[in-house]
Amino acid sequence: MNTARLVLNCTKFACYPANINCRRRLCTSQYMMSRHSHTKRIAGLDKNVWVAFTSVAADPSIVNLGQGFPDIPPPSYVKEALAKAASVDRMNQYTRGFGHPSLVKALSQVYGKVCERQIDPFKEILVTVGGYGSLFSTMQALVEEGDEVIIIEPFFDCYVPMVRMAGAKPVLIPLRLKPGKKQTITSADWYLDPDELSSKFNSRTKAIIINTPNNPIGKVFTREELQMIADLCIKHDTLCFSDEVYEWLVYRGHQHIKIATLPGMWDRTITIGSAGKTFSVTGWKLGWSVGPEHLIKHLQTVMQNTLYTCPTPLQEAVAQGLLLNLKMIDQPECYFSSLAEELEGKRDRMAAILQEAGMTPVIPEGGYFMLVDVTSLNQDLSHMDDDDAYDYKFVKWMIKEKKLAAIPVTAFVGDESKKQFEKYIRLCFIKQDSTLDAAEEILKNWSKI
Amino acid sequence: MSRRLCARRTEGVDKNIWVEFTKLAADYNAVNLGQGFPDFPPPKFVQDAFCEALRGGPMMHQYTRAFGHPRLVETLSRFFSRIVGHEIDPLEEILVTVGAYQALFSAFQALVDEGDEVIIVEPFFDCYQPMVRMAGGKAVYVPLRPKAAGGGAVLSSGDWVLNPEELRSKITPRTKAIVINTPNNPLGKVYKIEELQMIADLCIKHDMLCVSDEVYEWLTYDGAKHVKIASLPGMRERTITVGSAGKTFSATGWKVGWAMGSGKLIKRLKAMHQMSVFDCATAAQEAVAQGFEREYEVFGTPESYFLQLPAMLYHKRNKLAACLQSVGLQPIVPEGGYFIIADISSIKVDSRDLSTEDEPYDFKFVKWLIKEKGLATIPVSAFYSPGHSKEFDKYIRFCFVKEDSTLDAAEDILRNFIQ
C-alpha cells in the first residue's frame, strides 16, 4: 500500500511543451524509411557469400562442395546422447548462462589435458552459439573504435565484418605462395612474411586473429610460425584470437599447436572451438571460447546481454561426447583422430580427381577444404558480369554449366589481394563417397561439352 | 597487459540478476520460484517432435537456412497469418533467433543508434535496459501506476496503467522506439486494446518504432485478451513482434524464438543476425515447427496446448495468490504471464540478518529468503530503472509455472516463518 502511494506521488517526469513533439512532416512510408534507416553498425554488412551461394547450391541436382558442412552422419553416440538428454525433463529448461555445468567441466578436462594446465570451467570458458558466436562475443567484448585488428588472408569471411561492426579497422596481410615451380603444392607452401607481418603492428593494434588449421587454405601453422606471431603479440602487447575450430582435423605429418600454450600467450589469447566441427554436427551451433578469466569475463558480459544461454540438451549431449572421447584420446577409435583419418583419404582422392581434370589443388595439411587453382583450364568467362572477380564468375558458371558448387576464394580476401587469389576456388571434401563419386563424374567429363 | 582491455560497450552492463540469483538458488538448493521456467516437462507431442527430428536424417544435424529453418518459418507464417488476418511472408517477414532474447538483441542493434532514445515501460524485463545501452541508446522510462485502489480491494495487474500525458511527455525528437511487453513480466499486465491504441497513436504521430515482446502471448487469465499491437492500423510497418517457443511450449532450454515484422525492418535484423550467430540449431527448429503444425490443426479446441497451459496455470496462479494473501503478503493478481508480485512490507526481518551491501531492500530480502528459508524469488526493483528502484523495493516476484509439489513446498515455507 505504501509503495502504491509512492508510485502515485512520483513526479519524476518533465513536461515538454507540445510543439517540440509536433512534426510538420507527413508520415509517409518514404519518410519513415529515411528516418528509420539501418543503424551505422550494420551499414554495408548485409552482403554475405553464404547467403548468396547456399540457396543456389541447395538445388538437389547440384553436387554441393561449397558450404563447409558434412553430408556424412555424425557419430551415433552423439545423436543418442542428445535423444537421451532431451528425455530428461530438466534438460528442456534453461541452464547456466555461461555454459551448462557438465559441458564446461568436460571442456575443462579435454583442454586441460591438451594444454597441460588447469582450466577453470566457470571462469575460463564460455559456451556460445557456434564458433561464430564465440568470434562475435570476443569482438564485442574486446574490440572497439580506435582499435586495429590484424587479419591474415585468406580469412574466414566473417572476421572483417565483425571487426568493422565492432567499430575497429581490419588490417590485412596475405599468406604468400613460396616461389618456385613444384609438382605438388601444399598449404605448407603458403607462408607469412615476418617483416611484412611486423610492419602491420602498431600502438593501435588490439589483436591479431589467427585460424589454424586455416579455412580455406588448410594451412596448419608450425610452432616456429606461431612463435613469430607470439613474439610480436608480446612485444606490442596485443591480444590473440585463435580460431581453432578444425583443431582435430590435422593430417599425417602435422601437429596442431595451440598458440595459447606458448610462453606469455595464455594471458592474452582467446581460443575458439566448435562442437559442430568436432563432432560433425554443424547444425547444433555450439562453440566455446577458452582463455584467462580477465578476458573471458568480458565475453561473459556480452553473452548475458545478447542471448543469455545456449540450448540445454545440445550442451549435455556434447558434454557426453567429449567425455567419451577423452577416455579414448590416444586410441584410434577416438573420433578426434578417426575423423581425421577418414578425411585424409577423402582429401587424397579429391586431390587426385582434380589433378586428373587438369586443375591444380593446394593439398591442405588440415581442415576440410581444398583450394584449387583453375588457371590451367583457361575457361573463357568474358560473357559474364564484369563486376565479379574471376572466381565468382567461375563458380557461378560451374554451378550452372557443370552442376558442381564451390565457393570463390576472393570472398575470403580484401580488395588488394583479390588479384592474387582470383584463380582459386574452394572445395569442401567432408562429403560421403556418393557425393565425391558424383563430383568425380563431373570432373572426369569436364572437357566434354 | 597494460592497455585497456574491454570494449566500452561492456561497461555498465556487467551485472545481471539472473546470473546472480540463479547461482544463489542453486547453491542453497532453494525451492525455486525465481527464474521463469517450468519445472514440469514440455507437452509430450513436443518432446516426441524433438526425438523425431533427431532421427530425421543427417541434414537435421547440419546447418539450415540462416534466417530460419524453412519448415519452421513456413509454419509460423501459416499459424500467425491466420491469427492476424493477413499474409506474413515466411522468408521476408520472419527471423528465427536463439530465443526471444536474441530477437530483442538483434532488434536493438539493428534499429537503435548512438544517441537514440528508447522508451521503456516500467517495470520491465531487465534485459531491455542493458541492450539499449549496449546499442549506444538512451533508455527513457515511464512507469505503470496503479489506479487509486479502493480500500482493501485485491489489486490486479489490470489496475496498473500508463498515464497518456506522462508517456507523451517522454517523447523527444530523438525517440526512436518504445518497448512494450504484453503480457508483462513481472507485473502480469495484459494491455487492453484501448491502451495499445493510445501507444499506437503516439508511435504513428511521432514516427516511432515499436518493439513488442509477446513471449507470454498464450498465457492470459480471467478472460483477458492478448492483442497484438502490430495488428492495429498503421502499426504493421513499424513494429517488431517478438515471440518464444520456450515459453509457448514450456521448453525454455531449447532457445528458439523469433522476430516478425515488415520486410524493411526484418531485413536489418537479418543483417545483424548474420553478423552475430549466423543461424540457429536445426533440430530444435524442426521440433518447434512440428509443434506449431499440430497446434494449427487443433487451435481453439480443447486439444490445444495454447488453451490447456493457461487453464492449468490459472489454478496455480490462484493457489499461490491465495497462499500469499493468507500469510499477509499482498499479491497483485496477474491477468497474464508466469509471475505474481507481492508486497513484502508487512514482513518484519531483523535488519541484522540482512546483508550490509548497498542494494535495495528487496534484494537483501530475497537473498535472506534464499539463504535462511530456502525459498528463491526475484526482487522486483531489478525490473525498474536505477532512478526508480529504491521506490519499488518492497516487492518480490514469484514464478508459479511450477509443479504443485513445488508450490506446496513454497507455501509450507511461507506459512512456517510468517505465522
Side-chain angles (χ1 to χ4, degrees), chain A residues 215-434:
Chain A
N215 171 9
I217 287 190
K219 178 180 177 61
V220 172
F221 284 72
T222 62
R223 188 177 289 276
E224 296 70 43
E225 289 172 315
L226 293 175
Q227 190 61 64
M228 186 242 313
I229 295 170
D231 290 343
L232 286 164
C233 285
I234 292 166
K235 177 176 176 185
H236 295 275
D237 195 21
T238 63
L239 300 174
C240 179
F241 304 155
S242 187
D243 177 352
E244 302 182 12
V245 296
Y246 301 104
E247 59 187 307
W248 306 111
L249 303 181
V250 172
Y251 305 119
R252 254 173 307 195
H254 309 287
Q255 196 197 358
H256 175 70
I257 311 276
K258 287 180 164 301
I259 195 170
T261 59
L262 300 185
M265 290 305 286
W266 173 261
D267 285 331
R268 58 180 69 254
T269 305
I270 299 282
T271 305
I272 290 166
S274 158
K277 308 298 183 191
T278 297
F279 289 114
S280 307
V281 286
T282 61
W284 288 24
K285 289 293 293 186
L286 276 180
W288 41 81
S289 297
V290 178
E293 182 184 352
H294 64 268
L295 296 181
I296 291 290
K297 74 178 183 194
H298 300 304
L299 276 70
Q300 290 177 337
T301 297
V302 170
M303 183 69 175
Q304 80 197 19
N305 290 300
T306 52
L307 39 97
Y308 184 69
T309 184
C310 292
T312 316
L314 297 170
Q315 292 189 69
E316 177 66 25
V318 173
Q320 297 306 320
L322 287 170
L323 290 173
L324 191 71
N325 281 289
L326 184 60
K327 285 201 200 94
M328 313 188 273
I329 202 156
D330 294 316
Q331 293 160 42
E333 300 84 51
C334 177
Y335 194 68
F336 302 163
S337 25
S338 69
L339 180 62
E341 202 176 306
E342 187 185 346
L343 289 184
E344 189 164 341
K346 292 179 192 284
R347 176 196 74 167
D348 294 341
R349 185 185 167 191
M350 188 88 246
I353 300 169
L354 291 164
Q355 278 160 336
E356 282 284 319
M359 302 186 212
T360 313
V362 175
I363 315 290
E365 303 153 275
Y368 49 59
F369 303 105
M370 186 175 295
L371 241 52
V372 188
D373 184 342
V374 299
T375 313
S376 46
L377 292 177
N378 277 318
Q379 186 59 46
D380 177 14
L381 300 170
S382 49
H383 60 285
M384 295 183 70
D385 181 3
D386 254 346
D387 279 344
D388 275 346
Y390 184 87
D391 56 343
Y392 268 75
K393 290 195 265 205
F394 186 92
V395 166
K396 286 179 182 171
W397 169 84
M398 188 171 75
I399 291 175
K400 187 163 175 240
E401 301 300 329
K402 300 293 180 188
K403 300 280 185 207
L404 177 64
I407 295 289
V409 173
T410 58
F412 301 91
V413 306
D415 290 335
E416 283 174 31
S417 298
K418 278 194 183 342
K419 274 275 170 260
Q420 195 187 336
F421 289 93
E422 70 170 351
K423 289 293 170 43
Y424 289 95
I425 63 174
R426 185 196 81 168
L427 296 176
C428 173
F429 55 87
I430 186 169
K431 303 291 177 187
Q432 56 188 329
D433 286 342
S434 56

Side-chain angles (χ1 to χ4, degrees), chain B residues 169 391 407:
Chain B
S169 75
E391 293 162 39
L407 296 176

Side-chain angles (χ1 to χ4, degrees), chain B residues 5 38 65 111 126 173 187 280 309 333 341 355 362 371 374 397:
Chain B
L5 284 173
R65 177 177 168 269
L111 305 172
D126 72 298
L187 196 55
C280 308
L309 182 61
V333 180
I341 72 177
S355 89
D362 55 346
K371 293 177 185 173
R397 187 194 82 169

Side-chain angles (χ1 to χ4, degrees), chain A residues 7 16 21 23 35-36 41 92-93 132 140-141 143-144 166 205-206 280 282-283 285 304-305 307 312, chain B residues 5 7-9 13-14 61-62 101 109 135 145 169 171 175 206-207 252-255 268 274 277 392:
Chain A
V7 165
Y16 285 90
N21 298 323
R23 286 209 178 82
R35 158 146 155 85
H36 295 296
R41 66 179 62 83
N92 288 296
Q93 309 303 337
Y132 214 93
Q140 288 289 305
V143 173
E144 60 183 344
T205 310
K206 190 66 177 283
S280 307
T282 61
K285 289 293 293 186
Q304 80 197 19
N305 290 300
L307 39 97
T312 316
Chain B
L5 284 173
R8 266 167 283 256
R9 68 177 70 79
V13 298
D14 50 323
H61 299 284
Q62 308 307 332
Y101 215 91
Q109 289 281 317
R145 299 171 187 286
S169 75
I171 301 171
T175 309
H206 298 282
D207 195 22
T252 60
W254 289 15
K255 293 291 292 181
R268 285 157 205 164
Q274 81 192 26
V277 306
F392 295 93

Side-chain angles (χ1 to χ4, degrees), chain A residues 159-181:
Chain A
Y159 299 165
V160 163
M162 280 193 184
V163 165
R164 285 223 181 95
M165 219 202 94
K169 180 183 166 199
V171 171
L172 306 180
I173 174 172
L175 286 168
R176 295 186 183 282
L177 185 57
K178 283 184 195 144
K181 225 164 172 36

Side-chain angles (χ1 to χ4, degrees), chain A residues 150-167:
Chain A
I150 298 174
I151 298 173
I152 300 167
E153 299 173 298
F155 51 85
F156 180 53
D157 72 300
C158 77
Y159 299 165
V160 163
M162 280 193 184
V163 165
R164 285 223 181 95
M165 219 202 94

